[in-house]
Amino acid sequence: MKTLGYYNGKFDELDKMMIPMNDRVCYFGDGVYDATLARNYKIFAIDEHIDRFFNSAGLLKIKIPYTKDEVKALLNEMLQKMESGNMFVYWQVTRGTGIRNHAFPDTPANMWIMLKPAELKDMDRKLKLVTAEDTRFFHCNIKTLNLIPSVMAAQNAESQGCDETIFHRGDRVTECAHSNVHIIQDGMLKTAPADNLILPGIARAHLIAMCKRLGIPVNETPYTVDELLNAEEVIVTSSSQLCMLAESVDGKPVGGKQPELVGRLQQALLDEFYAATDK
């Protein structure tokens, strides 16, 4: 199969899958998700993603109908059914199925999985970014399905010929519409703290760990839009783009002052990804 879906024990190609209209995702977006890449039929950083998935569900009081080991086994089982081992692996849980009512239904949660072909993005390509005021709610640490602000921000970036939107609350930079953003200043990585205003990205965690391994100082404190615009480098990370550089923000050139440092980081992170997903 080229694509594959799963819903509460049923498997099929994505365009043939159907869900009940009364799944609470339809009315409330009532659920959480996680995602990562697979290469050579190996899912990258799967344990970290599953841990975050269960944490997000717990914060919303959703009881996942599987153990962590069962989720891991199910994802790997589905991956083995695919024609290619290079996939975007996505999974979510919704609170359950019941007639529309804001209060929780007394029904079991619903498990969804989706696989589609995907490759790691080319880190040689530099990104064009735009900024936008962060008007999302104050629980961005939960990987919830309620993504309308991020959807609108992503579309706004695309309509301007850009790759991603950087959110800020006042002067404080938080994160991007669907990734984390960091800066290099004075040879140090600065990244927003993992509080309730950002999603604690797995790629972010790997970037921080790699900096420490390479002797690059790390500062996990808030930084400003002005610091971003004047940084030595601006870095964007996500599960599909491990460490990509920005070339412009709001049409103004940024970065380009620490190519050797970022090159070392990119190569080390790429080596880590390949080592974890080699046959």
Side-chain angles (χ1 to χ4, degrees), residues 76-94:
N76 280 309
E77 176 190 346
M78 290 184 63
L79 185 58
Q80 295 306 313
K81 299 177 184 291
M82 308 309 293
E83 294 177 8
S84 167
N86 295 4
M87 289 280 152
F88 176 68
V89 183
Y90 172 99
W91 61 102
Q92 70 181 40
V93 64
T94 66

Side-chain angles (χ1 to χ4, degrees), residues 141-159:
N141 55 308
I142 304 173
K143 204 166 175 66
T144 171
L145 298 173
N146 291 277
L147 296 173
I148 287 298
S150 293
V151 168
M152 299 304 293
Q155 180 59 35
N156 179 56
E158 183 168 312
S159 69

Side-chain angles (χ1 to χ4, degrees), residues 1-252:
M1 290 186 179
K2 291 186 177 180
T3 67
L4 183 60
Y6 172 95
Y7 184 79
N8 289 350
K10 296 180 180 180
F11 299 85
D12 210 334
E13 294 183 3
L14 290 177
D15 60 1
K16 297 178 182 177
M17 292 294 295
M18 299 183 69
I19 63 164
M21 185 171 175
N22 281 332
D23 188 311
R24 285 175 65 87
V25 72
C26 300
Y27 302 115
F28 305 110
D30 193 357
V32 299
Y33 75 102
D34 221 295
T36 184
L37 289 183
R39 175 175 172 266
N40 293 325
Y41 294 96
K42 293 183 179 179
I43 303 174
F44 183 66
I46 182 62
D47 292 321
E48 294 164 80
H49 283 277
I50 289 177
D51 284 345
R52 184 173 65 178
F53 179 59
F54 273 76
N55 181 66
S56 290
L59 290 170
L60 291 187
K61 300 181 180 179
I62 296 174
K63 186 175 181 180
I64 297 174
Y66 301 92
T67 66
K68 291 182 180 181
D69 285 342
E70 287 170 337
V71 172
K72 183 177 180 179
L74 181 57
L75 294 174
N76 280 309
E77 176 190 346
M78 290 184 63
L79 185 58
Q80 295 306 313
K81 299 177 184 291
M82 308 309 293
E83 294 177 8
S84 167
N86 295 4
M87 289 280 152
F88 176 68
V89 183
Y90 172 99
W91 61 102
Q92 70 181 40
V93 64
T94 66
R95 195 176 302 279
T97 304
I99 198 71
R100 189 183 187 280
N101 183 33
H102 283 70
F104 300 171
D106 186 19
T107 58
N110 297 321
M111 186 73 178
W112 307 41
I113 300 173
M114 181 269 285
L115 277 71
K116 67 175 184 178
E119 301 286 346
L120 189 66
K121 291 185 179 179
D122 181 6
M123 287 192 286
D124 287 335
R125 188 175 75 85
K126 292 190 177 182
L127 305 177
K128 295 179 180 179
L129 311 176
V130 293
T131 59
E133 184 69 28
D134 192 345
T135 59
R136 301 171 299 167
F137 68 170
F138 287 94
H139 302 284
C140 297
N141 55 308
I142 304 173
K143 204 166 175 66
T144 171
L145 298 173
N146 291 277
L147 296 173
I148 287 298
S150 293
V151 168
M152 299 304 293
Q155 180 59 35
N156 179 56
E158 183 168 312
S159 69
Q160 297 184 57
C162 295
D163 301 285
E164 177 64 297
T165 295
I166 301 170
F167 285 131
H168 57 90
R169 293 182 187 261
D171 288 335
R172 175 184 166 176
V173 174
T174 51
E175 59 185 349
C176 294
H178 45 81
S179 51
N180 291 120
V181 61
H182 330 267
I183 62 173
I184 299 290
Q185 190 59 47
D186 300 323
M188 172 187 294
L189 177 76
K190 294 194 72 172
T191 183
D195 56 16
N196 65 309
L197 298 184
I198 75 161
L199 181 75
I202 305 302
R204 171 187 177 276
H206 280 246
L207 175 68
I208 291 171
M210 190 59 70
C211 281
K212 293 178 178 179
R213 196 177 309 168
L214 297 177
I216 299 168
V218 176
N219 183 349
E220 295 183 67
T221 58
Y223 63 91
T224 67
V225 174
D226 186 63
E227 288 179 275
L228 173 87
L229 296 174
N230 292 286
E232 293 170 347
E233 300 288 359
V234 177
I235 297 173
V236 174
T237 61
S238 72
S239 293
S240 62
Q241 48 189 32
L242 299 179
C243 181
M244 296 186 71
L245 283 174
E247 66 178 10
S248 67
V249 175
D250 293 334
K252 301 175 182 177

